[in-house]
Amino acid sequence: MNTRADRLPGLGEAGRSGVEGGWSSRFAFVMAAAGSAVGLGNVWKFPYIAGEYGGGAFVLVYLACVALVGLPVLAAEILIGKRGGGSPMESFRELARGEGSSPRWTSIAWLGMLCAFLILSFYSVVAGWSLSYLWQASTGALTSAEPGHIAARMEGLFDALLANPTALILGHTLVMSLTMAIVVKGVRRGLEKAVRLMVPGLFVLLVGLVVYAAVYSGQFGAAARFLFAPDFGALTWDAVLVALGHAFFTLSVGMTAMMAYGAHLRGRVRVAPAATAIAGLDTLVALLAGLAIFPIVFAQGLEPGAGPGLIFVTLPIAFAQMPAGGFVAATFFLFLAIAALSSTISILEPVVEYLERRPAWSRRRATVVMGSLVWAVGVLSALSFNIGSEYTLFGKSFFDCLDFVTSNVLLPVGGLGVVLYAGYALSRRTLALELGIGSDRGLFIWRSLLRYVCPAAIAVVLYRGLVH
Ligand code: PHE
């Protein structure tokens, strides 16, 4: 029994944060969380890994991973934040008091914050690429190649961007500046205002792109078959692991971002349906992104398995040959930039909240200091594509090392901590109350996912990710 906690839906609600109020509504929260989840992962990474791993069967496995592992982890993370009501560290401490769990669980928040810091540093560099492409598409430079030289030109453009430290640092600096400008204003006046504009905008742009792809490519059916007709013969173990790892990344779980967002929820919000809506929107965007990209790629007879260059090389090659290609390219990269920005703000938020509480810094100071530190580490990532490319660790550049360590180690470990905490340290009653699950059967399923299915799946990813 936990009467104190039951009375206050978020323990810290009364006095939390010193920052102005939380989300103004459940809807605002779902939009912000969906904005966090929808990002480069959906538009850049999902289509290219689906392409590399052969399409349909991979997509099916990915959907199963999102539903069976990603969704419970997401719900657990939001729930911990909501119940604790503070910065991720404070939430665990508060829960240690209110729920009688060990304060040692706070280390999950520490790990998550480290992970958030590192992810933001290189994520912002890739987000900068989208700004650079947006600029080139808007000026017409992206689609101005002579017929016959288009492929070589697009490859050349991408290579030239990566080889240019100034351009990379400029893009990264812009992304970090915009992120800081939003975060500094706080949850209600900064983040919520921004996502209210960005998230609906994202959907409009995406639907426009899908319609364009359907109308002009003549390859919509081929793309739909590629994404949805499974060929299990092509499925490998590696594909399953990549799908599971990506389910984490795309839902923004394992690094406290969703915990921080959940902590700003007010009142009686049922976490299970909210998390399901967020995961559903995220999946919808990933699939729609595939349906926008592959028809265009197929229409020009290009390969879907081009890897990370899919949207920065293959797609521009296609745009350059399509009607209104320049305009569509600009729309696409604008969409990508917005998707990235609504994610970067969610990664900076928990890190800033930490400094706001501990040394009790002002929001402005916390944002400037943390943002600048992240920026500095990001510069090293940007340089690792060019002048710093000889500095490698285990044959990987600085950028690749950060990507590897965060995606394959820190995110799964963080996610594991979160599900174990929700599955074992929280009482059945708290879980039922916060998830908003009335039936015993429903609760049994959620708890079994948290206690057995998720930990087992995560352990396998970790093992394979590290041993291979
Ligand atoms: N989910 C985001 C994407 O798909 C990335 C992200 C990871 C955002 C972790 C926040 C936290 O691009």
Side-chain angles (χ1 to χ4, degrees):
M1 271 296 252
N2 191 342
T3 45
R4 181 183 166 213
D6 288 352
R7 260 184 288 121
L8 295 173
L11 283 176
E13 185 166 334
R16 113 161 225 96
S17 81
V19 186
E20 33 66 79
W23 309 114
S24 62
S25 63
R26 173 184 181 274
F27 178 71
F29 163 74
V30 170
M31 279 225 289
S36 166
V38 171
L40 298 171
N42 305 57
V43 192
W44 171 55
K45 202 160 177 199
F46 172 75
Y48 93 67
I49 53 180
E52 271 185 337
Y53 290 101
F58 173 86
V59 174
L60 213 65
V61 172
Y62 166 77
L63 294 178
C65 292
V66 167
L68 296 177
V69 185
L71 175 60
V73 185
L74 174 65
E77 212 172 283
I78 297 173
L79 183 154
I80 293 169
K82 176 170 180 290
R83 189 82 179 166
S87 72
M89 256 75 143
E90 288 173 320
S91 288
F92 275 107
R93 279 195 215 107
E94 191 61 57
L95 285 172
R97 250 169 282 157
E99 300 285 324
S101 52
S102 161
R104 286 206 211 115
W105 290 100
T106 312
S107 47
I108 300 171
W110 278 106
L111 195 78
M113 299 248 309
L114 173 69
C115 189
F117 184 97
L118 297 176
I119 286 190
L120 183 54
S121 73
F122 69 85
Y123 193 90
S124 161
V125 173
V126 182
W129 301 353
S130 60
L131 289 185
S132 166
Y133 271 72
L134 172 60
W135 169 252
Q136 299 198 55
S138 314
T139 56
L142 193 61
T143 39
S144 63
E146 309 258 311
H149 300 279
I150 294 176
R153 173 161 161 80
M154 296 310 162
E155 273 159 30
L157 267 180
F158 191 49
D159 290 345
L161 173 66
L162 295 187
N164 182 345
T166 318
L168 290 188
I169 293 175
L170 185 68
H172 165 56
T173 308
L174 267 171
V175 172
M176 282 309 299
S177 312
L178 288 168
T179 305
M180 286 156 70
I182 296 172
V183 169
V184 77
K185 294 216 167 95
V187 170
R188 180 82 62 91
R189 276 180 297 131
L191 303 176
E192 181 171 329
K193 242 180 159 176
V195 294
R196 272 185 189 276
L197 208 72
M198 290 197 280
V199 175
L202 267 181
F203 275 90
V204 172
L205 292 179
L206 183 55
V207 169
L209 287 164
V210 174
V211 171
Y212 171 85
V215 172
Y216 288 111
S217 69
Q219 292 292 327
F220 197 71
R225 267 194 305 285
F226 177 72
L227 278 174
F228 299 118
D231 167 14
F232 286 102
L235 198 64
T236 59
W237 246 110
D238 263 359
V240 177
L241 294 168
V242 169
L244 191 54
H246 186 62
F248 269 78
F249 185 80
T250 192
L251 292 177
S252 309
V253 291
M255 39 78 73
T256 68
M258 290 298 186
M259 212 179 278
Y261 270 18
H264 293 279
L265 267 172
R266 297 289 176 265
R268 286 252 167 254
V269 172
R270 294 162 63 220
V271 170
T276 310
I278 295 159
L281 285 172
D282 183 71
T283 307
L284 182 70
V285 172
L287 297 178
L288 286 178
L291 288 177
I293 292 170
F294 289 120
I296 298 177
V297 169
F298 289 155
Q300 304 304 330
L302 299 166
E303 277 303 311
L310 178 68
I311 66 168
F312 292 107
V313 179
T314 312
L315 199 58
I317 295 176
F319 283 143
Q321 303 169 67
M322 304 283 291
F327 175 74
V328 182
T331 311
F332 179 83
F333 288 108
L334 176 66
F335 164 66
L336 188 63
I338 298 177
L341 198 63
S342 62
S343 298
T344 55
I345 53 178
S346 76
I347 320 181
L348 188 58
E349 177 64 24
V351 195
V352 164
E353 282 188 10
Y354 171 66
L355 280 186
E356 234 184 337
R357 308 300 142 64
R358 255 309 158 84
W361 282 0
S362 69
R363 181 124 182 136
R364 174 172 294 273
R365 188 160 170 210
T367 309
V368 171
V369 169
M370 268 304 174
S372 310
L373 287 175
V374 170
W375 176 84
V377 177
V379 166
L380 298 180
S381 272
L383 295 181
S384 76
F385 285 102
N386 35 70
I387 53 181
S389 59
E390 323 94 74
Y391 299 98
T392 57
L393 199 66
F394 302 116
K396 286 184 194 305
S397 69
F398 186 69
F399 179 96
D400 289 336
C401 277
L402 285 187
D403 183 17
F404 180 84
V405 171
T406 51
S407 307
N408 294 0
V409 186
L410 297 180
L411 282 185
V413 171
L416 184 62
V418 164
V419 284
L420 291 178
Y421 184 81
Y424 293 96
L426 287 182
S427 68
R428 194 170 178 277
R429 194 165 175 279
T430 303
L431 211 57
L433 188 78
E434 295 293 351
L435 284 174
I437 305 271
S439 77
D440 278 349
R441 188 133 169 263
L443 191 61
F444 174 78
I445 294 175
W446 274 93
R447 245 183 145 208
S448 307
L449 288 173
L450 290 170
R451 290 186 145 199
Y452 313 113
V453 177
C454 295
I458 297 170
V460 174
V461 187
L462 263 173
Y463 176 75
R464 296 277 306 205
L466 290 179
V467 175
H468 280 251

